[in-house]
mmCIF file of all heavy atoms in Angstrom:
data_model
loop_
_atom_site.group_PDB
_atom_site.id
_atom_site.type_symbol
_atom_site.label_atom_id
_atom_site.label_comp_id
_atom_site.label_asym_id
_atom_site.label_seq_id
_atom_site.Cartn_x
_atom_site.Cartn_y
_atom_site.Cartn_z
ATOM 1 N N VAL A 263 -30.953 -13.761 16.459
ATOM 2 C CA VAL A 263 -31.854 -14.913 16.322
ATOM 3 C C VAL A 263 -32.467 -15.206 17.645
ATOM 4 O O VAL A 263 -31.784 -15.341 18.650
ATOM 5 C CB VAL A 263 -31.118 -16.164 15.761
ATOM 6 C CG1 VAL A 263 -32.084 -17.225 15.477
ATOM 7 C CG2 VAL A 263 -30.196 -15.790 14.549
ATOM 8 N N GLY A 264 -33.799 -15.348 17.549
ATOM 9 C CA GLY A 264 -34.533 -15.761 18.805
ATOM 10 C C GLY A 264 -34.718 -14.678 19.798
ATOM 11 O O GLY A 264 -34.604 -15.024 21.028
ATOM 12 N N PHE A 265 -34.955 -13.449 19.343
ATOM 13 C CA PHE A 265 -35.157 -12.401 20.312
ATOM 14 C C PHE A 265 -36.746 -12.221 20.408
ATOM 15 O O PHE A 265 -37.448 -11.831 19.530
ATOM 16 C CB PHE A 265 -34.644 -11.112 19.762
ATOM 17 C CG PHE A 265 -33.185 -10.943 20.121
ATOM 18 C CD1 PHE A 265 -32.249 -11.848 19.710
ATOM 19 C CD2 PHE A 265 -32.668 -9.839 20.721
ATOM 20 C CE1 PHE A 265 -30.903 -11.751 20.002
ATOM 21 C CE2 PHE A 265 -31.356 -9.626 21.068
ATOM 22 C CZ PHE A 265 -30.405 -10.601 20.669
ATOM 23 N N GLY A 266 -37.241 -12.618 21.533
ATOM 24 C CA GLY A 266 -38.658 -12.331 21.856
ATOM 25 C C GLY A 266 -39.603 -13.448 21.340
ATOM 26 O O GLY A 266 -39.289 -14.224 20.432
ATOM 27 N N THR A 267 -40.715 -13.549 21.972
ATOM 28 C CA THR A 267 -41.685 -14.684 21.733
ATOM 29 C C THR A 267 -42.609 -14.216 20.595
ATOM 30 O O THR A 267 -43.177 -13.112 20.617
ATOM 31 C CB THR A 267 -42.521 -14.921 23.006
ATOM 32 O OG1 THR A 267 -41.641 -15.318 24.065
ATOM 33 C CG2 THR A 267 -43.538 -16.076 22.728
ATOM 34 N N GLN A 268 -42.748 -15.098 19.586
ATOM 35 C CA GLN A 268 -43.759 -14.846 18.560
ATOM 36 C C GLN A 268 -44.725 -15.987 18.646
ATOM 37 O O GLN A 268 -44.358 -17.254 18.576
ATOM 38 C CB GLN A 268 -43.198 -14.976 17.155
ATOM 39 C CG GLN A 268 -42.040 -14.062 16.811
ATOM 40 C CD GLN A 268 -41.489 -14.228 15.443
ATOM 41 O OE1 GLN A 268 -41.991 -13.696 14.531
ATOM 42 N NE2 GLN A 268 -40.541 -15.172 15.368
ATOM 43 N N PRO A 269 -45.986 -15.664 18.807
ATOM 44 C CA PRO A 269 -47.004 -16.775 19.094
ATOM 45 C C PRO A 269 -47.024 -17.755 17.874
ATOM 46 O O PRO A 269 -46.997 -18.947 18.184
ATOM 47 C CB PRO A 269 -48.319 -15.970 19.205
ATOM 48 C CG PRO A 269 -47.943 -14.606 19.686
ATOM 49 C CD PRO A 269 -46.663 -14.311 19.027
ATOM 50 N N VAL A 270 -46.948 -17.294 16.704
ATOM 51 C CA VAL A 270 -47.069 -18.155 15.553
ATOM 52 C C VAL A 270 -45.763 -19.012 15.477
ATOM 53 O O VAL A 270 -45.763 -20.188 15.315
ATOM 54 C CB VAL A 270 -47.272 -17.444 14.214
ATOM 55 C CG1 VAL A 270 -47.163 -18.385 13.113
ATOM 56 C CG2 VAL A 270 -48.597 -16.715 14.253
ATOM 57 N N ALA A 271 -44.600 -18.324 15.637
ATOM 58 C CA ALA A 271 -43.366 -19.018 15.635
ATOM 59 C C ALA A 271 -43.241 -20.149 16.680
ATOM 60 O O ALA A 271 -42.723 -21.131 16.415
ATOM 61 C CB ALA A 271 -42.188 -18.105 15.731
ATOM 62 N N THR A 272 -43.781 -19.810 17.836
ATOM 63 C CA THR A 272 -43.808 -20.784 18.877
ATOM 64 C C THR A 272 -44.609 -22.001 18.495
ATOM 65 O O THR A 272 -44.246 -23.233 18.812
ATOM 66 C CB THR A 272 -44.359 -20.186 20.136
ATOM 67 O OG1 THR A 272 -43.548 -18.967 20.523
ATOM 68 C CG2 THR A 272 -44.216 -21.188 21.388
ATOM 69 N N GLU A 273 -45.664 -21.788 17.744
ATOM 70 C CA GLU A 273 -46.495 -22.947 17.255
ATOM 71 C C GLU A 273 -45.695 -23.754 16.329
ATOM 72 O O GLU A 273 -45.760 -24.992 16.295
ATOM 73 C CB GLU A 273 -47.671 -22.299 16.449
ATOM 74 C CG GLU A 273 -48.686 -23.345 15.952
ATOM 75 C CD GLU A 273 -49.835 -22.785 15.170
ATOM 76 O OE1 GLU A 273 -50.252 -21.710 15.603
ATOM 77 O OE2 GLU A 273 -50.274 -23.388 14.294
ATOM 78 N N PHE A 274 -44.662 -23.087 15.568
ATOM 79 C CA PHE A 274 -43.850 -23.921 14.675
ATOM 80 C C PHE A 274 -42.719 -24.582 15.412
ATOM 81 O O PHE A 274 -41.860 -25.287 14.876
ATOM 82 C CB PHE A 274 -43.205 -22.957 13.677
ATOM 83 C CG PHE A 274 -44.107 -22.530 12.620
ATOM 84 C CD1 PHE A 274 -44.127 -21.207 12.128
ATOM 85 C CD2 PHE A 274 -45.004 -23.395 12.010
ATOM 86 C CE1 PHE A 274 -44.993 -20.773 11.141
ATOM 87 C CE2 PHE A 274 -45.882 -23.027 11.016
ATOM 88 C CZ PHE A 274 -45.914 -21.694 10.583
ATOM 89 N N GLY A 275 -42.554 -24.312 16.708
ATOM 90 C CA GLY A 275 -41.594 -25.014 17.613
ATOM 91 C C GLY A 275 -40.312 -24.170 17.775
ATOM 92 O O GLY A 275 -39.328 -24.795 18.291
ATOM 93 N N TRP A 276 -40.385 -22.970 17.451
ATOM 94 C CA TRP A 276 -39.179 -22.069 17.660
ATOM 95 C C TRP A 276 -39.241 -21.441 19.009
ATOM 96 O O TRP A 276 -40.155 -20.670 19.331
ATOM 97 C CB TRP A 276 -39.044 -21.042 16.615
ATOM 98 C CG TRP A 276 -38.693 -21.629 15.240
ATOM 99 C CD1 TRP A 276 -38.264 -22.873 14.980
ATOM 100 C CD2 TRP A 276 -38.727 -20.967 14.025
ATOM 101 N NE1 TRP A 276 -38.048 -23.028 13.621
ATOM 102 C CE2 TRP A 276 -38.342 -21.813 12.993
ATOM 103 C CE3 TRP A 276 -39.035 -19.622 13.626
ATOM 104 C CZ2 TRP A 276 -38.222 -21.475 11.701
ATOM 105 C CZ3 TRP A 276 -38.928 -19.316 12.346
ATOM 106 C CH2 TRP A 276 -38.575 -20.260 11.339
ATOM 107 N N GLN A 277 -38.218 -21.728 19.861
ATOM 108 C CA GLN A 277 -38.277 -21.108 21.170
ATOM 109 C C GLN A 277 -37.269 -20.041 21.252
ATOM 110 O O GLN A 277 -36.150 -20.092 20.818
ATOM 111 C CB GLN A 277 -37.836 -22.220 22.233
ATOM 112 C CG GLN A 277 -38.846 -23.336 22.376
ATOM 113 C CD GLN A 277 -40.183 -22.959 22.838
ATOM 114 O OE1 GLN A 277 -40.258 -21.982 23.614
ATOM 115 N NE2 GLN A 277 -41.120 -23.661 22.457
ATOM 116 N N PRO A 278 -37.726 -18.839 21.729
ATOM 117 C CA PRO A 278 -36.823 -17.744 21.804
ATOM 118 C C PRO A 278 -35.959 -17.713 23.170
ATOM 119 O O PRO A 278 -36.171 -18.692 23.949
ATOM 120 C CB PRO A 278 -37.764 -16.578 21.881
ATOM 121 C CG PRO A 278 -38.965 -17.087 22.649
ATOM 122 C CD PRO A 278 -39.094 -18.511 22.204
ATOM 123 N N ALA A 279 -34.986 -16.889 23.185
ATOM 124 C CA ALA A 279 -34.368 -16.715 24.408
ATOM 125 C C ALA A 279 -35.420 -16.289 25.523
ATOM 126 O O ALA A 279 -36.238 -15.518 25.306
ATOM 127 C CB ALA A 279 -33.329 -15.526 24.432
ATOM 128 N N GLU A 280 -35.392 -16.917 26.647
ATOM 129 C CA GLU A 280 -36.629 -16.931 27.498
ATOM 130 C C GLU A 280 -36.752 -15.526 28.224
ATOM 131 O O GLU A 280 -37.864 -15.204 28.577
ATOM 132 C CB GLU A 280 -36.420 -17.958 28.662
ATOM 133 C CG GLU A 280 -35.198 -17.778 29.468
ATOM 134 C CD GLU A 280 -35.029 -19.000 30.449
ATOM 135 O OE1 GLU A 280 -35.775 -19.897 30.400
ATOM 136 O OE2 GLU A 280 -34.075 -18.846 31.324
ATOM 137 N N ASP A 281 -35.712 -14.751 28.303
ATOM 138 C CA ASP A 281 -35.853 -13.501 28.957
ATOM 139 C C ASP A 281 -35.978 -12.303 27.930
ATOM 140 O O ASP A 281 -36.005 -11.117 28.354
ATOM 141 C CB ASP A 281 -34.657 -13.192 29.867
ATOM 142 C CG ASP A 281 -33.330 -12.906 29.040
ATOM 143 O OD1 ASP A 281 -33.356 -13.345 27.871
ATOM 144 O OD2 ASP A 281 -32.438 -12.360 29.623
ATOM 145 N N SER A 282 -36.151 -12.600 26.699
ATOM 146 C CA SER A 282 -36.058 -11.502 25.725
ATOM 147 C C SER A 282 -37.473 -10.847 25.479
ATOM 148 O O SER A 282 -38.434 -11.548 25.351
ATOM 149 C CB SER A 282 -35.497 -12.037 24.409
ATOM 150 O OG SER A 282 -35.586 -10.968 23.413
ATOM 151 N N ALA A 283 -37.491 -9.539 25.430
ATOM 152 C CA ALA A 283 -38.692 -8.818 25.141
ATOM 153 C C ALA A 283 -38.819 -8.605 23.593
ATOM 154 O O ALA A 283 -39.644 -7.839 23.163
ATOM 155 C CB ALA A 283 -38.691 -7.516 25.809
ATOM 156 N N GLY A 284 -37.927 -9.218 22.822
ATOM 157 C CA GLY A 284 -38.039 -9.009 21.407
ATOM 158 C C GLY A 284 -37.027 -8.134 20.816
ATOM 159 O O GLY A 284 -36.102 -7.534 21.683
ATOM 160 N N PHE A 285 -37.015 -7.843 19.591
ATOM 161 C CA PHE A 285 -36.093 -6.839 18.990
ATOM 162 C C PHE A 285 -36.844 -5.495 19.137
ATOM 163 O O PHE A 285 -37.679 -5.113 18.362
ATOM 164 C CB PHE A 285 -35.849 -7.067 17.524
ATOM 165 C CG PHE A 285 -34.863 -6.184 16.852
ATOM 166 C CD1 PHE A 285 -33.542 -6.223 17.160
ATOM 167 C CD2 PHE A 285 -35.258 -5.083 16.089
ATOM 168 C CE1 PHE A 285 -32.665 -5.266 16.682
ATOM 169 C CE2 PHE A 285 -34.382 -4.242 15.629
ATOM 170 C CZ PHE A 285 -33.118 -4.291 15.814
ATOM 171 N N THR A 286 -36.442 -4.828 20.311
ATOM 172 C CA THR A 286 -37.218 -3.593 20.582
ATOM 173 C C THR A 286 -36.511 -2.305 19.997
ATOM 174 O O THR A 286 -35.418 -2.354 19.606
ATOM 175 C CB THR A 286 -37.183 -3.457 22.215
ATOM 176 O OG1 THR A 286 -35.769 -3.318 22.585
ATOM 177 C CG2 THR A 286 -37.790 -4.726 22.844
ATOM 178 N N ALA A 287 -37.215 -1.263 20.191
ATOM 179 C CA ALA A 287 -36.732 0.079 19.753
ATOM 180 C C ALA A 287 -35.406 0.405 20.512
ATOM 181 O O ALA A 287 -34.472 1.024 19.996
ATOM 182 C CB ALA A 287 -37.744 1.156 19.795
ATOM 183 N N ASP A 288 -35.367 0.016 21.818
ATOM 184 C CA ASP A 288 -34.249 0.320 22.603
ATOM 185 C C ASP A 288 -32.998 -0.441 22.084
ATOM 186 O O ASP A 288 -31.898 0.034 22.061
ATOM 187 C CB ASP A 288 -34.543 -0.127 24.150
ATOM 188 C CG ASP A 288 -35.334 0.979 24.872
ATOM 189 O OD1 ASP A 288 -35.390 2.074 24.337
ATOM 190 O OD2 ASP A 288 -35.789 0.556 25.976
ATOM 191 N N ILE A 289 -33.208 -1.685 21.686
ATOM 192 C CA ILE A 289 -32.107 -2.419 21.186
ATOM 193 C C ILE A 289 -31.714 -1.807 19.854
ATOM 194 O O ILE A 289 -30.480 -1.668 19.582
ATOM 195 C CB ILE A 289 -32.509 -3.906 20.935
ATOM 196 C CG1 ILE A 289 -32.659 -4.599 22.283
ATOM 197 C CG2 ILE A 289 -31.517 -4.606 20.075
ATOM 198 C CD1 ILE A 289 -33.111 -6.003 22.244
ATOM 199 N N ALA A 290 -32.634 -1.435 18.989
ATOM 200 C CA ALA A 290 -32.248 -0.799 17.742
ATOM 201 C C ALA A 290 -31.464 0.457 17.992
ATOM 202 O O ALA A 290 -30.424 0.793 17.183
ATOM 203 C CB ALA A 290 -33.561 -0.526 16.917
ATOM 204 N N ARG A 291 -31.916 1.300 18.954
ATOM 205 C CA ARG A 291 -31.122 2.526 19.261
ATOM 206 C C ARG A 291 -29.699 2.161 19.725
ATOM 207 O O ARG A 291 -28.779 2.822 19.394
ATOM 208 C CB ARG A 291 -31.901 3.357 20.256
ATOM 209 C CG ARG A 291 -32.991 4.172 19.683
ATOM 210 C CD ARG A 291 -33.606 5.141 20.650
ATOM 211 N NE ARG A 291 -34.415 4.509 21.672
ATOM 212 C CZ ARG A 291 -35.790 4.306 21.472
ATOM 213 N NH1 ARG A 291 -36.400 4.719 20.398
ATOM 214 N NH2 ARG A 291 -36.429 3.697 22.448
ATOM 215 N N ALA A 292 -29.587 1.063 20.412
ATOM 216 C CA ALA A 292 -28.284 0.676 20.965
ATOM 217 C C ALA A 292 -27.395 0.338 19.726
ATOM 218 O O ALA A 292 -26.186 0.732 19.631
ATOM 219 C CB ALA A 292 -28.393 -0.549 21.871
ATOM 220 N N LEU A 293 -27.911 -0.361 18.799
ATOM 221 C CA LEU A 293 -27.225 -0.745 17.545
ATOM 222 C C LEU A 293 -26.895 0.455 16.745
ATOM 223 O O LEU A 293 -25.893 0.382 15.983
ATOM 224 C CB LEU A 293 -28.018 -1.835 16.674
ATOM 225 C CG LEU A 293 -28.489 -3.107 17.420
ATOM 226 C CD1 LEU A 293 -29.043 -4.056 16.413
ATOM 227 C CD2 LEU A 293 -27.321 -3.764 18.092
ATOM 228 N N ALA A 294 -27.656 1.420 16.769
ATOM 229 C CA ALA A 294 -27.397 2.581 15.989
ATOM 230 C C ALA A 294 -26.081 3.297 16.478
ATOM 231 O O ALA A 294 -25.588 4.085 15.726
ATOM 232 C CB ALA A 294 -28.635 3.584 16.073
ATOM 233 N N GLU A 295 -25.621 2.920 17.589
ATOM 234 C CA GLU A 295 -24.460 3.535 18.071
ATOM 235 C C GLU A 295 -23.122 2.791 17.500
ATOM 236 O O GLU A 295 -21.987 3.217 17.803
ATOM 237 C CB GLU A 295 -24.317 3.497 19.635
ATOM 238 C CG GLU A 295 -25.429 4.381 20.206
ATOM 239 C CD GLU A 295 -25.217 4.539 21.759
ATOM 240 O OE1 GLU A 295 -24.067 4.376 22.165
ATOM 241 O OE2 GLU A 295 -26.200 4.699 22.367
ATOM 242 N N LEU A 296 -23.358 1.699 16.740
ATOM 243 C CA LEU A 296 -22.249 1.005 16.103
ATOM 244 C C LEU A 296 -21.823 1.734 14.857
ATOM 245 O O LEU A 296 -22.635 1.750 13.907
ATOM 246 C CB LEU A 296 -22.604 -0.408 15.841
ATOM 247 C CG LEU A 296 -22.932 -1.296 17.063
ATOM 248 C CD1 LEU A 296 -23.369 -2.672 16.605
ATOM 249 C CD2 LEU A 296 -21.714 -1.449 17.895
ATOM 250 N N PRO A 297 -20.567 2.279 14.860
ATOM 251 C CA PRO A 297 -20.392 3.247 13.734
ATOM 252 C C PRO A 297 -20.283 2.601 12.364
ATOM 253 O O PRO A 297 -20.589 3.278 11.341
ATOM 254 C CB PRO A 297 -18.986 3.810 14.149
ATOM 255 C CG PRO A 297 -18.440 2.840 15.127
ATOM 256 C CD PRO A 297 -19.573 2.214 15.761
ATOM 257 N N LEU A 298 -19.860 1.316 12.222
ATOM 258 C CA LEU A 298 -19.724 0.699 10.927
ATOM 259 C C LEU A 298 -20.868 -0.160 10.551
ATOM 260 O O LEU A 298 -20.805 -0.763 9.437
ATOM 261 C CB LEU A 298 -18.407 -0.071 10.901
ATOM 262 C CG LEU A 298 -17.140 0.747 10.820
ATOM 263 C CD1 LEU A 298 -15.915 -0.206 10.658
ATOM 264 C CD2 LEU A 298 -17.175 1.786 9.734
ATOM 265 N N LEU A 299 -21.917 -0.290 11.410
ATOM 266 C CA LEU A 299 -22.876 -1.345 11.128
ATOM 267 C C LEU A 299 -23.641 -0.980 9.895
ATOM 268 O O LEU A 299 -24.190 -0.032 9.610
ATOM 269 C CB LEU A 299 -23.930 -1.335 12.344
ATOM 270 C CG LEU A 299 -24.994 -2.452 12.283
ATOM 271 C CD1 LEU A 299 -24.237 -3.741 12.488
ATOM 272 C CD2 LEU A 299 -25.976 -2.252 13.348
ATOM 273 N N GLU A 300 -23.662 -2.061 8.981
ATOM 274 C CA GLU A 300 -24.342 -1.862 7.679
ATOM 275 C C GLU A 300 -25.242 -3.053 7.278
ATOM 276 O O GLU A 300 -25.854 -2.951 6.289
ATOM 277 C CB GLU A 300 -23.270 -1.642 6.586
ATOM 278 C CG GLU A 300 -22.317 -2.864 6.415
ATOM 279 C CD GLU A 300 -21.316 -2.611 5.271
ATOM 280 O OE1 GLU A 300 -21.082 -1.489 4.904
ATOM 281 O OE2 GLU A 300 -20.712 -3.577 4.816
ATOM 282 N N ASP A 301 -25.209 -4.049 8.135
ATOM 283 C CA ASP A 301 -25.968 -5.279 7.832
ATOM 284 C C ASP A 301 -26.552 -5.859 9.036
ATOM 285 O O ASP A 301 -25.936 -6.205 10.026
ATOM 286 C CB ASP A 301 -25.002 -6.371 7.211
ATOM 287 C CG ASP A 301 -25.666 -7.559 6.756
ATOM 288 O OD1 ASP A 301 -26.954 -7.774 6.994
ATOM 289 O OD2 ASP A 301 -25.114 -8.390 6.086
ATOM 290 N N VAL A 302 -27.975 -5.881 9.053
ATOM 291 C CA VAL A 302 -28.696 -6.373 10.136
ATOM 292 C C VAL A 302 -29.597 -7.472 9.700
ATOM 293 O O VAL A 302 -30.354 -7.295 8.759
ATOM 294 C CB VAL A 302 -29.514 -5.287 10.949
ATOM 295 C CG1 VAL A 302 -30.424 -5.925 11.983
ATOM 296 C CG2 VAL A 302 -28.593 -4.255 11.579
ATOM 297 N N TRP A 303 -29.497 -8.649 10.331
ATOM 298 C CA TRP A 303 -30.406 -9.772 9.948
ATOM 299 C C TRP A 303 -31.151 -10.248 11.198
ATOM 300 O O TRP A 303 -30.528 -10.666 12.189
ATOM 301 C CB TRP A 303 -29.552 -10.865 9.337
ATOM 302 C CG TRP A 303 -30.250 -12.035 8.776
ATOM 303 C CD1 TRP A 303 -31.604 -12.263 8.866
ATOM 304 C CD2 TRP A 303 -29.670 -13.158 8.066
ATOM 305 N NE1 TRP A 303 -31.922 -13.434 8.245
ATOM 306 C CE2 TRP A 303 -30.751 -13.947 7.726
ATOM 307 C CE3 TRP A 303 -28.498 -13.520 7.716
ATOM 308 C CZ2 TRP A 303 -30.617 -15.220 7.046
ATOM 309 C CZ3 TRP A 303 -28.191 -14.726 6.979
ATOM 310 C CH2 TRP A 303 -29.347 -15.455 6.635
ATOM 311 N N LEU A 304 -32.457 -10.163 11.183
ATOM 312 C CA LEU A 304 -33.284 -10.559 12.278
ATOM 313 C C LEU A 304 -33.978 -11.864 11.943
ATOM 314 O O LEU A 304 -34.677 -11.921 10.801
ATOM 315 C CB LEU A 304 -34.341 -9.532 12.538
ATOM 316 C CG LEU A 304 -33.775 -8.106 12.861
ATOM 317 C CD1 LEU A 304 -34.974 -7.194 13.045
ATOM 318 C CD2 LEU A 304 -32.913 -8.058 14.047
ATOM 319 N N GLU A 305 -33.698 -12.864 12.663
ATOM 320 C CA GLU A 305 -34.277 -14.205 12.437
ATOM 321 C C GLU A 305 -35.034 -14.669 13.661
ATOM 322 O O GLU A 305 -34.486 -14.645 14.768
ATOM 323 C CB GLU A 305 -33.144 -15.223 11.948
ATOM 324 C CG GLU A 305 -33.652 -16.475 11.366
ATOM 325 C CD GLU A 305 -32.615 -17.249 10.663
ATOM 326 O OE1 GLU A 305 -31.516 -17.356 11.202
ATOM 327 O OE2 GLU A 305 -32.869 -17.694 9.560
ATOM 328 N N ALA A 306 -36.249 -15.141 13.417
ATOM 329 C CA ALA A 306 -37.110 -15.685 14.520
ATOM 330 C C ALA A 306 -37.113 -14.666 15.647
ATOM 331 O O ALA A 306 -36.868 -14.929 16.800
ATOM 332 C CB ALA A 306 -36.501 -17.077 15.017
#
Side-chain angles (χ1 to χ4, degrees):
Chain A
V263 186
F265 276 57
T267 303
Q268 303 180 88
V270 175
T272 304
E273 183 180 326
F274 286 138
W276 290 350
Q277 297 296 329
E280 59 186 7
D281 67 340
S282 173
F285 183 76
T286 63
D288 278 347
I289 288 179
R291 279 190 284 272
L293 302 188
E295 296 190 26
L296 296 173
L298 289 184
L299 189 67
E300 61 179 17
D301 183 351
V302 173
W303 185 353
L304 306 175
E305 192 164 46

